[in-house]
Amino acid sequence: MKVTALAGGTGSAKLLRGLKSLPIDLTVVANVGDNVWMYGAYVCPDVDVACYTLAGISDVERGWGVRGDTFYSLERLARLGLETWFKLGDMDLAVCLARTEMLRRGGSLTSATERIRRALGAPSPVLPATDHAVETRVETKKGDLHLQEFWVRDRGRPAVLRVRYRGAASSSPTEQVARAVSDADRVVVCPANPVTSVGPMLAVRGFASLLSSTRARVVALSPMSGRRPFSGPAGKLMKAAGRRPDSVGVAEMYAGFLDALLISKGDAGMKRDIERLGVECAVTDTLMSNPRDEARLARELLRA
Ligand code: FO1
């Protein structure tokens, strides 16, 4: 079975680990909206968490970075007077510097990612959603912020007015992404923030129509339980986007392409509202507390 997973954010790592454990032909398409220049290196958090998870070296609980990484470079940078609120580990920094060098030599983000994931030993392809620069900007009462400034530096505190995907209108999915979505038997949308992790992919011109026209069944695991996300600022950002901050809001955002949504048992009362949107809905235990839960949910998504 050819499975293409759309991944982004800290919520995706656990489901990717579950998908990786199954005998399937897996391809990951990763969000690029939160990519950021930091300490002279181009950091691609969602591409990297996918590569690290598939390579078995990610800090799955934390949802980013490499397990057991050290922070000597960051300590040095702090002593040299730089702001070091973005905790990039040494191993992580090396990956980002390698990518920066590959890009500087004229490579695309897709080709750099392919080289890096192979070098790390990740067994499945990881495809950036686009090779164009798309940046998630959060307009707040404090000003127009990069997602990392909003979420990591300012701890998601500023009041949000609007979220924009800078560069999305003039971007396009790569050929590899178009093929991965069109040729899949199943597309799985990971339990990621619909506004900042999946939203930037859907904003890439032509990406949403790839999803609505693929012959694959498109299924998602809701990142929400009640009005709370499993991790991150999804609720606050969904409200800012004018959506209900719950699984119905998620279904509304994905209704144009989604065949089925898995929601948590506590949200069973939302099933009817979700089905009214033309999206099939299954209720299950959506908590991923251990690798067994991750594999079970991955299997349920392939059957949904
Ligand atoms: N998230 C944090 O909350 N604090 C950090 O210091 C931090 C560092 C970091 C370094 C590399 C990386 O790839 C991701 C990192 N993240 C950190 C996660 C990141 O900010 C977001 O959670 C993702 O961009 C959302 O997809």
Side-chain angles (χ1 to χ4, degrees):
M1 191 185 212
K2 278 190 179 179
V3 179
T4 296
L6 309 188
T10 52
S12 295
K14 290 182 176 183
L15 187 65
L16 285 184
R17 193 161 65 172
L19 287 166
K20 183 197 164 196
S21 72
L22 304 181
I24 54 173
D25 180 358
L26 178 65
T27 299
V28 179
V29 175
N31 171 43
V32 298
D34 51 2
N35 294 359
V36 65
W37 283 95
M38 203 54 84
Y39 320 124
Y42 194 51
V43 187
C44 302
D46 291 348
V47 167
D48 289 343
V49 79
C51 292
Y52 298 159
T53 301
L54 296 177
I57 59 170
S58 68
D59 189 325
V60 175
E61 289 312 316
R62 191 173 56 184
W64 50 271
V66 177
R67 196 172 54 238
D69 208 351
T70 53
F71 292 85
Y72 295 113
S73 310
L74 204 74
E75 283 163 22
R76 283 282 150 188
L77 290 169
R79 278 205 228 167
L80 290 165
L82 264 66
E83 280 187 43
T84 53
W85 48 265
F86 195 73
K87 305 292 179 215
L88 194 61
D90 296 316
M91 155 86 185
D92 215 356
L93 175 63
V95 166
C96 298
L97 287 174
R99 168 190 302 120
T100 305
E101 183 59 14
M102 292 173 199
L103 296 176
R104 199 183 64 78
R105 289 176 185 221
S108 65
L109 186 58
T110 298
S111 65
T113 304
E114 178 60 11
R115 284 179 65 185
I116 289 168
R117 76 96 181 161
R118 279 181 185 274
L120 293 173
S124 307
V126 175
L127 306 174
T130 177
D131 276 336
H132 294 104
V134 173
E135 191 174 297
T136 303
R137 304 291 308 182
V138 186
E139 277 179 30
T140 72
K141 288 197 172 164
K142 252 189 90 178
D144 180 16
L145 306 176
H146 188 287
L147 175 69
Q148 304 296 353
E149 293 171 324
F150 168 74
W151 177 239
V152 180
R153 187 192 63 194
D154 298 345
R155 300 177 188 276
R157 285 195 196 113
V160 178
L161 305 173
R162 201 161 77 101
V163 176
R164 285 183 304 123
Y165 309 113
R166 185 192 278 167
S170 50
S171 68
S172 54
T174 61
E175 268 171 42
Q176 292 89 329
V177 166
R179 230 177 300 124
V181 174
S182 314
D183 293 355
D185 298 307
R186 189 152 289 230
V187 175
V188 174
V189 185
C190 289
N193 185 323
V195 179
T196 56
S197 298
V198 183
M201 293 194 255
L202 300 179
V204 170
R205 270 188 78 145
F207 195 101
S209 57
L210 282 175
L211 289 172
S212 52
S213 62
T214 178
R215 65 184 174 82
R217 218 169 136 70
V218 183
V219 298
L221 176 59
S222 176
M224 306 296 287
S225 180
R227 292 169 75 84
R228 294 173 62 99
F230 292 127
S231 63
K236 183 170 183 171
L237 295 174
M238 285 177 78
K239 271 194 229 161
R243 300 290 180 179
R244 281 176 58 161
D246 61 18
S247 288
V248 178
V250 174
E252 282 171 357
M253 292 177 81
Y254 297 168
F257 57 83
L258 195 67
D259 293 302
L261 181 66
L262 256 64
I263 63 169
S264 76
K265 283 185 179 155
D267 292 344
M270 297 180 193
K271 190 172 182 323
R272 288 255 302 275
D273 284 347
I274 292 170
E275 286 170 345
R276 257 189 232 121
L277 295 165
V279 176
E280 293 167 37
C281 181
V283 176
T284 187
D285 182 359
T286 55
L287 213 65
M288 289 183 274
S289 313
N290 54 50
R292 211 168 350 110
D293 288 341
E294 295 161 10
R296 174 186 53 78
L297 275 166
R299 273 195 304 273
E300 285 185 34
L301 281 160
L302 301 189
R303 283 197 297 256

